[in-house]
Structures are given as structure tokens and as C-alpha cells.
Amino acid sequence: VPFHAAMSKPLRYNGSNFFRQRLCLATVSGRSVVITNIRPNDEEPGLRDYEASFLRLLDKLCDGADISIDETGTMLRYTPGQIIGGSNLAHNCPPSRNVTYFLEGLLLIAPLAKQPVSIRLRGVTNGGPDPSCDTFRTATLPLLAKFGLSDELVFKIVKRGALPLGGGEVVLNCPILRVIQPVELLDEGKVKRVRGVAFTARVSPQFAARMVDAARGILNDFLPDVWIYTDPAKGGTSGDSPGYGVSLVAETITRSLKSADACAKIDDIEASGRGNQEDDLGTPEAVGTAAAKRLLAEIDLDGVVDTTHQAIVLYFLSLAEEIKPARVRLSKLSPSAAQMLRHIKDFLGVAFQVREDHGDTGTVVFSCLGAGLKNTSRRTF
């Protein structure tokens, strides 16, 4: 069946994996999607609170979207509307996921809205399986500048919020783009410096210095230019739970960024008395060491972006203008990036060519001719 003839049929998927990717690609491509068997055999079947919250966030940004969930919550039918955007939006994120879970989804659709998006999100800013807000600010947003999204792109952390209660607050202002430029990201270069942020909230500010010392103890063996800022949240800006963590970003001579972060698991420490396992993030030293080792592991994998940001880069390349091929060099693909390639083919009909890189780098070059998606609401003059 030709791709355009199949466009009118809803795409069908099984299971709850890669929920955000499916909904965001459905929204930008205008295709309906049906997701069945969402955790049918779980003790609590159906959508989780953060997935339902993400649906509500999409509903705030879009006009005319039709979302229907059956009574058990195990089947979802989503028909996208127009991406409107707007200012002074606010959204409360459940503490089960970091606010970056919602921010990453927002970044995929906000540049294609009718109006610039200005939104305030409340919830957990540091901790959990998602990247921290510091990593989002220092690594994710600069990556979008390569696609022409830098002017008026503003992100502020108003309040810190650690697990389990959160209580943090962030503000994102995202401009709109008319078209996405096809880019070539092929040379990652050698690392020239490492920057980072060590935050503390409702614990002794001395913890930040201990995390910095531990991280520098590892990184200074490799390069001298390591600078980690300390950010002790005081009073009303410290959220509802105690916590501390560190986010590190390595910058190369070609301005590509690799990031890693680690956050203390305070509730685990309280539950077990005092953790003594190797991987237990129960002391500031353990947190600083873990972040530094994760950063070194990311640098060791070649590729222009780290594993966290592979899916975002592939997504923007697939939407780019059709004037020339877009190319990117990546290391071993993360599961979400591999699935993003499949979803891009399903929703947009864009297939990437994969070519193994010469030499012993272990990287592959992905190239594609973008779908040429245009934001018709943006004036050209």
C-alpha cells in the first residue's frame, strides 16, 4: 500500500512502551493511533498517572484532539488536533516521574505550534529515571540550537524539587520554527572541558562541596578544566523533600555535548538504615563518583551526542527540509533511539540509511531526506 493511502488508517500498537514517542509523532504527523494491551496483567492495569498526565498536557497544547480511554485504562485511542501552543500555561506533574519526562515531550511538538509556548511545570526536578533539569538546561537545549531553535528559548528552574514529594517548579519558553534545517553532525571532537552543577535542597550545603571533590577526583586525572558550580537551594526554593545531586556536561572542541547526572536516593537510605553497597548513592561522595563515571562512560562511546539525546536528534532530522540529506554520527543506539527509527518510518514514511563508520570507532552514520514538515502558521516575511 502506498504510504499516502495508508495515512488515513490509525496506526495500532501493543503495550505501554515508548508512549511519548507515539503520541508526539502522531501529533506532528496528524495520524490517529490506537494503543492496546497497556499493562493488562499488571496488579494495577492500564495507564500510569504520569502517562495520563502527559495526555492532559498534550490536550492543553492542542485544539480538537480526541482522546478516548476505555474503562480499564488498557486501551487508548488518540486522534490529534492542531498544535496551538500559547502563553501562561501551567501543568502539575505527578511525582512518579521527573518534569523532564514532560519537557522532552514538549520539545518535540512545541516548535511546530501556531503560537510560541510559555509553560510552568510543577513537580520533581531532580531524581528518578529521567535526566535532571540541570542536564536539560545545559545539554538538551543547546542541542536544539543546531536545528535553529535558540532565539527566545528560555528555561528557568524556579524551585528545586527532590523525590519523593517534589514541590519544584520550572518555566519553559519555546519559540516556533517555520522549517527545521537539515544539519550534518559528524565530528564529535576531543573533550576540552567539563562543567557541572551540584545542587542541595533541605540538606547541609557542605554536601555540594563533597560531591564536587569526589567528581573532580576522577575527572582531573583526564583533563584540568573541570568546573562544577554549587547551587544550594534555600528557603522557599528548596521544594518539599530533602535531596542532593550533581549534573555534569562535557564539551568538545566541535561544541558537541555529552551529559551525565546522579541524584541521591534518600528514601532508600532511610529504609535500609545506611547503604553500603557499591552502587548505593547514599553519600555525597558516592553521588559525585557515580556521575563522573557515567560521564566517562558516555565519552568512551563515540558519537556526536550521548545516548540520552539520540532519539531527539533522529526525530528532528526526520522532520527537516528536503533540500539536502541530514546526517548524524551516533554510537551504539539506545532502545528508545532504535524504536524512534521504527516510529519515524511508521508515522512519517522517512527511512534512515545506516552506514558503518570506517576505523575502530564503533560508530554508525545515519542519513535521511527529511519529511519537510512546515509550520504553516509562521509567517515567512
Side-chain angles (χ1 to χ4, degrees):
V1 183
F3 178 70
H4 295 293
M7 280 286 281
S8 54
K9 292 182 182 173
L11 282 163
R12 295 182 174 274
Y13 291 104
N14 248 335
S16 60
N17 280 353
F18 311 107
F19 187 74
R20 284 179 306 175
Q21 282 188 19
R22 287 166 183 171
L23 292 182
C24 290
L25 275 162
T27 307
V28 297
S29 65
R31 297 195 66 180
S32 301
V33 64
V34 177
I35 302 174
T36 51
N37 292 334
I38 302 173
R39 305 186 185 89
N41 304 321
D42 207 83
E43 282 182 13
E44 296 175 11
L47 292 171
R48 292 281 173 267
D49 57 351
Y50 57 87
E51 290 165 341
S53 181
F54 187 70
L55 278 169
R56 283 195 292 276
L57 178 61
L58 277 183
D59 198 38
K60 285 176 185 171
L61 287 173
C62 301
D63 191 23
D66 182 29
I67 302 166
S68 56
I69 304 166
D70 71 346
E71 58 270 17
T72 56
T74 56
M75 187 185 128
L76 163 75
R77 187 184 182 93
Y78 176 71
T79 305
Q82 257 196 325
I83 312 167
I84 300 295
S87 55
N88 300 326
L89 300 171
H91 186 71
N92 291 326
C93 310
S96 47
R97 287 302 280 263
N98 199 309
V99 294
T100 50
Y101 173 86
F102 302 89
L103 287 166
E104 283 174 354
L106 265 174
L107 276 190
L108 301 184
I109 59 171
L112 300 164
K114 270 183 171 290
Q115 302 158 11
V117 172
S118 169
I119 189 164
R120 186 176 293 267
L121 298 174
R122 299 181 188 91
V124 174
T125 60
N126 298 79
D130 306 288
S132 69
C133 280
D134 298 295
T135 303
F136 181 81
R137 181 173 59 84
T138 52
T140 311
L141 295 184
L143 181 63
L144 296 188
K146 296 184 192 299
F147 298 98
L149 196 72
S150 56
D151 299 344
E152 303 162 37
L153 183 63
V154 181
F155 180 68
K156 282 184 197 150
I157 302 171
V158 182
K159 276 189 200 170
R160 293 274 175 194
L163 285 168
L165 298 175
E169 194 173 302
V170 298
V171 175
L172 174 73
N173 293 340
C174 182
I176 55 174
L177 287 174
R178 196 180 73 80
V179 289
I180 291 158
Q181 297 301 326
V183 293
E184 292 200 344
L185 306 171
L186 296 175
D187 184 14
E188 88 265 24
K190 295 265 188 274
V191 173
K192 64 175 177 178
R193 62 175 170 213
V194 174
R195 295 287 177 266
V197 176
F199 90 96
T200 57
R202 295 183 176 265
V203 295
S204 163
Q206 199 58 43
F207 280 21
R210 287 165 62 188
M211 285 187 288
V212 172
D213 287 347
R216 287 189 63 132
I218 290 175
L219 295 171
N220 278 142
D221 289 349
F222 301 97
L223 81 167
D225 191 357
V226 177
W227 188 264
I228 304 170
Y229 300 89
T230 55
D231 180 13
K234 299 184 183 77
T237 61
S238 57
D240 300 334
S241 294
Y244 52 92
V246 62
S247 156
L248 300 173
V249 176
E251 189 184 332
T252 70
I253 50 178
T254 57
R255 310 269 319 199
S256 55
L257 304 168
K258 307 276 179 87
S259 63
D261 52 53
C263 199
K265 297 176 178 169
I266 286 190
D267 21 331
D268 292 2
I269 302 159
E270 288 168 354
S272 62
R274 193 86 212 158
N276 54 7
Q277 296 102 327
E278 277 295 304
D279 62 343
D280 194 22
L281 300 181
T283 62
E285 286 77 14
V287 172
T289 304
K293 285 181 176 172
R294 286 174 193 173
L295 185 69
L296 292 177
E298 284 289 359
I299 294 168
D300 187 41
L301 289 170
D302 286 326
V304 178
V305 294
D306 56 27
T307 45
T308 314
H309 296 101
Q310 286 174 344
I312 295 177
V313 169
L314 291 171
Y315 169 85
F316 277 108
L317 291 184
S318 71
L319 298 180
E321 260 191 305
E322 300 170 275
I323 49 177
K324 64 173 185 177
R327 297 193 296 166
V328 64
R329 191 149 73 87
L330 299 177
S331 60
K332 185 178 160 191
L333 281 188
S334 65
S336 72
Q339 190 62 40
M340 180 61 95
L341 290 171
R342 296 185 193 110
H343 283 150
I344 285 168
K345 187 157 189 214
D346 289 351
F347 284 98
L348 302 167
V350 172
F352 279 80
Q353 287 184 326
V354 184
R355 179 174 59 78
E356 197 171 351
D357 224 14
H358 305 302
D360 55 354
T361 53
T363 58
V364 282
V365 174
F366 290 85
S367 58
C368 78
L369 205 57
L373 216 69
K374 286 184 171 57
N375 188 347
T376 50
S377 61
R378 173 81 188 255
R379 287 189 177 175
T380 52
F381 51 85

